[in-house]
Amino acid sequence: MRLAVVIMLVMSCGVAAPSTPTRVDLTQSSWVFRFITAAHCNDWSRTLSFSTDGGVASSLERNVLTPTHECSRPVLTEHGTWRADERHVSVAAGDTVWRAQLATSAAPRLNRSAGTITASPLSLTTRAFLRRGDAWVDEHEATKGGQHLWTRTTVVVSGEPTCAMRVTVEVDVDGATASETFTPPCTSLVDRQSGWRAFGDLERFIYRHDLVRAAGVFERHAPVIANAIVDGVVLALVIDDARPELAVHPASSDEALGWYDALP
């Protein structure tokens, strides 16, 4: 999902999350996603701040081009509440309510040519995949402006060093449902020094839209359904041997897949 509705999911290193907002991994920092482009006055950022008393703030800072062709930077902040259950975080702020899975982790960065996977400092991922049997599953939902969207993405992978990958995306947009399955190219990469393992289409893991369009999804479904499927697709996942129950997407500038950096 595009995360104008920010969608999140809870992960707590194998320990059940509390029913009250006491997850210190969320409250230890504010978290910022920065979208930077080469276009003039087109950058923006979103900051999330969770407090130990159950309050949350979501601040959007977006550049605006003035009539004199200067950039102003208005900030819109919405306040609300959050709570955690066994697997999820639920948030209500402004006219948006969302519930999904989340993890704090170092964000893995792929260097395919060098055959390495390095990690950024502590970050917050909005796409945490938890192990369920032989699959990795991310499930999230949100309501904004009266529209409700539910998404579940299931990834099954087998084989090393080559692999086979199956990605199934199920969506429900205001009662209109769809399910699509994709089999993107799959290779694996192991960085024994860092302890990270990656699998999937490691050459083109950011080109989700191309995969969905080539599969004919936009011909079979209405645009709102097809776009929801695009935002549910992942083409690569990475696992840290220290946390084998959690798989995450490589660091990306796409907020629907992306990582929020911890603010100092």
Side-chain angles (χ1 to χ4, degrees):
M1 180 182 289
R2 281 280 170 227
L3 282 191
V5 181
V6 180
I7 301 180
M8 297 195 151
L9 183 153
V10 150
M11 180 63 224
S12 188
C13 297
V15 179
S19 58
T20 55
T22 57
R23 285 191 57 193
V24 295
D25 61 327
L26 294 185
T27 62
Q28 64 185 300
S29 174
S30 291
W31 311 91
V32 60
F33 176 87
R34 296 183 177 90
F35 184 82
I36 301 173
T37 73
H40 178 57
C41 196
N42 202 38
D43 299 347
W44 59 271
S45 66
R46 192 189 312 279
T47 302
L48 300 171
S49 301
F50 298 88
S51 62
T52 56
D53 63 1
V56 66
S58 175
S59 297
L60 177 66
E61 181 175 345
R62 183 182 294 274
N63 289 347
V64 176
L65 191 63
T66 68
T68 59
H69 300 286
E70 296 177 338
C71 285
S72 65
R73 300 179 65 86
V75 179
L76 172 65
T77 299
E78 294 182 323
H79 295 275
T81 58
W82 72 280
R83 60 183 176 84
D85 60 29
E86 183 177 354
R87 298 178 67 91
H88 296 80
V89 163
S90 298
V91 170
D95 69 345
T96 301
V97 178
W98 49 262
R99 177 179 182 269
Q101 299 169 189
L102 159 104
T104 54
S105 171
R109 300 182 182 277
L110 298 185
N111 187 331
R112 189 78 174 97
S113 60
T116 61
I117 307 172
T118 58
S120 70
L122 185 67
S123 301
L124 175 73
T125 178
T126 59
R127 297 295 299 274
F129 284 75
L130 306 184
R131 189 80 182 187
R132 293 186 185 177
D134 62 350
W136 300 98
V137 181
D138 164 44
E139 184 176 351
H140 53 257
E141 60 185 315
T143 300
K144 183 178 177 65
Q147 183 181 63
H148 180 260
L149 171 63
W150 170 85
T151 304
R152 179 165 60 204
T153 303
T154 303
V155 179
V156 178
V157 65
S158 59
E160 289 189 46
T162 58
C163 56
M165 184 176 181
R166 185 174 76 250
V167 180
T168 301
V169 180
E170 304 164 77
V171 300
D172 183 323
V173 183
D174 283 342
T177 63
S179 178
E180 293 283 349
T181 297
F182 307 91
T183 54
C186 187
T187 58
S188 61
L189 172 64
V190 178
D191 188 320
R192 302 193 185 281
Q193 182 174 354
S194 68
W196 289 94
R197 294 177 285 125
F199 55 83
D201 190 351
L202 304 184
E203 299 286 353
R204 296 177 54 83
F205 65 83
I206 65 172
Y207 294 103
R208 300 177 298 148
H209 194 279
D210 290 354
L211 177 78
V212 174
R213 184 168 293 282
V217 172
F218 281 86
E219 285 71 44
R220 289 192 294 275
H221 301 290
V224 65
I225 294 291
N227 285 322
I229 291 170
V230 170
D231 284 336
V233 167
V234 292
L235 298 182
L237 290 176
V238 189
I239 304 167
D240 182 356
D241 284 341
R243 297 179 68 180
E245 74 286 349
L246 170 68
V248 298
H249 193 272
S252 169
S253 60
D254 183 342
E255 193 183 12
L257 297 172
W259 291 83
Y260 284 67
D261 299 324
L263 288 173

